[in-house]
Amino acid sequence: MAARSWGRRVRLLVAALVTVVSLGLPAVSATPATAATGCAPLQSGASAAAEAAVEVACRYVGKQYAWGGGHAQGMPGPSQGQIDRTDPASYADPELWSFDCIGLVRWAWYKATGRDLITERTTQATFAAPGYAHTKFLKSQGSGVLLPGDIMYFGPTGFGPTHVAIYLGNGRMVEAPQSGAQIQVNNISARWERYQGAFRPHADVTPMVWSWDGRGSYQKTWGQPNLRQDSNTGSRINFTNGNGISVQTRVLCQRVGERATVDGMVNNVWSFLPDYHSWISNLFVQGPAVLKDVPSCGDFPEIGGTLAGAENNTSCGDGTEPNSTGAWTAKSTTVFGRTVELRYNGTTECAWGRITGGAPGDEIWVDRSADGGATWSPMLGFTTITSGNDAYTTQWNDAGLVMRACGTNGPGGAIACTGWF
């Protein structure tokens, strides 16, 4: 297949879909209890929805911040971090599924109300035009007017806000501060000089969002799935992942539904996501065609369904390594002494990117094209070497398509891509 020159194009990680290492978010507790000492509603008077939002945010205390986390377009939730090119501390963030500051606030209030109040917007945009019914508080009113759940905004004097947190009461807040730090509880006095104001959403708690709390297992998405009302493509779309950023989702159960096809893969198994009260085709969940250790929805009479007839399904997400039986190097190149390979398995028609002889910080990903390399889906399976000298991406289906592997000698380094195969 004809290849196209790569050059030094800007690498936007908003297009990155999957990496290898996850944050490992905690299983939510069986009851909405405090996740960490000192993180809870610390004053009375807040609405039930506001207290629920605090409880959600507190469950993530101690987990790593991820720049851009929580912003899969149209779909709230812990998502794959991105690199902020102005902050070297963010270079490992694509290895995390978590939140940045506004992403945490978005998820907390979504889980509390069943409504994506914050939506896909920046801290500055949500301060300028919240987009939901609210009461606004100014800095001149002080902190005495605030209640748990209020959304606090901070930024340099004379500029718009650059940071957001959730008020706990008694001068405390929970926040996702910056790359390299953990989600944590702090005194608002530490940021009071930059405090610009707060919003109190007018919203009711939605009990269904807490359904099956503490049950299920975490899986990761890839691509741009629609989350639907039922296990078929004709049912109503509840959420759409518009930018393809991988989201970590809680899967309760799975059942046979409509057989769907994407990129040469086929699957008739669908998974139920209780945090969204929606279904997702397993084509868009990383892992095997039938997810391991996830029960049939027949175990839940209120949901129903069976895995009978789950057959002739294909997937590339079984975790096989690129040096496994049947895998071979279809294309290779070098970048500053590193070897970049496109590894391929003709039996499964799946491919990986692999970089060897490198150093921590080196990057590897694959591109995939349906038109021979004229256009492509970039930076699939983006990952970095975190220790040692080698790293490889997750598998990607190559049936009827062409792929190539691309690698760098560290963030911002030279980019080298193999030919298309």
Side-chain angles (χ1 to χ4, degrees):
M1 295 292 182
R4 174 176 169 175
S5 175
W6 175 259
R8 292 281 301 184
R9 67 183 177 87
V10 176
R11 297 177 293 144
L12 296 177
L13 281 177
V14 71
L17 300 182
V18 183
T19 60
V20 175
V21 182
S22 76
L23 171 63
L25 288 173
V28 287
S29 56
T31 58
T34 300
T37 302
C39 194
L42 301 179
Q43 289 177 215
S44 61
S47 69
E51 290 192 346
V54 168
E55 289 173 357
V56 173
C58 286
R59 294 182 179 200
Y60 295 90
V61 168
K63 301 307 172 183
Q64 287 295 118
Y65 171 104
W67 191 81
H71 299 295
Q73 185 178 337
M75 185 177 169
S79 66
Q80 184 180 16
Q82 302 168 47
I83 289 178
D84 176 1
R85 295 297 179 187
T86 67
D87 181 10
S90 72
Y91 289 165
D93 286 8
E95 298 174 4
L96 304 171
W97 273 255
S98 188
F99 303 99
D100 63 11
C101 63
I102 192 66
L104 178 65
V105 172
R106 179 187 183 189
W107 180 241
W109 271 97
Y110 163 71
K111 276 285 291 178
T113 65
R115 295 169 52 201
D116 191 13
L117 297 178
I118 308 300
T119 68
E120 183 71 13
R121 294 184 295 154
T122 64
T123 301
Q124 295 85 351
T126 59
F127 187 74
Y132 53 82
H134 65 278
T135 299
K136 182 176 182 179
F137 301 97
L138 304 176
K139 182 174 183 176
S140 59
Q141 295 175 269
S143 62
V145 297
L146 301 179
L147 291 174
D150 289 351
I151 303 171
M152 304 182 71
Y153 286 82
F154 305 87
T157 302
F159 294 90
T162 57
H163 183 63
V164 65
I166 295 179
Y167 190 58
L168 299 176
N170 292 341
R172 304 277 279 172
M173 63 184 176
V174 58
E175 60 176 342
Q178 68 271 332
S179 292
Q182 297 177 343
I183 296 172
Q184 58 192 254
V185 173
N186 285 313
N187 292 322
I188 65 172
S189 58
R191 296 191 186 272
W192 187 255
E193 183 179 347
R194 293 189 168 209
Y195 174 62
Q196 296 194 5
F199 292 99
R200 180 175 300 159
H202 298 172
D204 296 324
V205 69
T206 303
M208 79 166 194
V209 175
W210 297 97
S211 300
W212 301 282
D213 194 21
R215 303 189 67 176
S217 62
Y218 285 109
Q219 310 289 335
K220 303 190 193 82
T221 69
W222 73 271
Q224 296 176 276
N226 292 319
L227 274 55
R228 295 186 177 272
Q229 187 66 23
D230 207 342
S231 52
N232 62 78
T233 58
S235 60
R236 186 184 73 214
I237 297 173
N238 294 334
F239 299 88
T240 295
N241 184 337
N243 56 15
I245 293 176
S246 177
V247 178
Q248 191 172 56
T249 61
R250 184 166 60 104
V251 173
L252 183 69
C253 62
Q254 53 189 341
R255 74 184 184 194
V256 166
E258 177 189 3
R259 185 175 297 278
T261 302
V262 62
D263 290 345
M265 294 184 290
V266 295
N267 205 330
N268 65 352
V269 181
W270 294 66
S271 290
F272 181 68
L273 310 181
D275 289 327
Y276 304 94
H277 273 248
S278 300
W279 294 86
I280 184 174
S281 168
N282 278 17
L283 287 172
F284 296 100
V285 181
Q286 294 182 48
V290 180
L291 299 175
K292 296 178 181 178
D293 302 321
V294 174
S296 164
C297 290
D299 292 354
F300 301 86
E302 62 272 51
I303 300 175
T306 177
L307 284 172
E311 54 192 20
N312 300 319
N313 296 318
T314 60
S315 173
C316 285
D318 63 4
T320 304
E321 297 185 4
N323 60 350
S324 55
T325 301
W328 57 286
T329 299
K331 296 284 184 177
S332 67
T333 187
T334 60
V335 56
F336 284 87
R338 287 87 163 151
T339 299
V340 176
E341 300 170 275
L342 180 72
R343 298 283 291 177
Y344 181 72
N345 189 310
T347 301
T348 62
E349 295 187 291
C350 297
W352 310 254
R354 181 170 72 176
I355 187 168
T356 59
D362 290 356
E363 302 166 331
I364 182 71
W365 66 89
V366 294
D367 296 336
R368 185 169 56 178
S369 174
D371 54 16
T375 61
W376 57 84
S377 298
M379 304 190 78
L380 307 181
F382 176 92
T383 192
T384 61
I385 297 177
T386 56
S387 63
N389 307 107
D390 310 328
Y392 59 90
T393 71
T394 43
Q395 296 167 282
W396 294 88
N397 187 267
D398 195 30
L401 306 167
V402 294
M403 294 180 62
R404 68 180 177 185
C406 299
T408 75
N409 59 316
I415 300 171
C417 294
T418 69
W420 293 102
F421 175 81

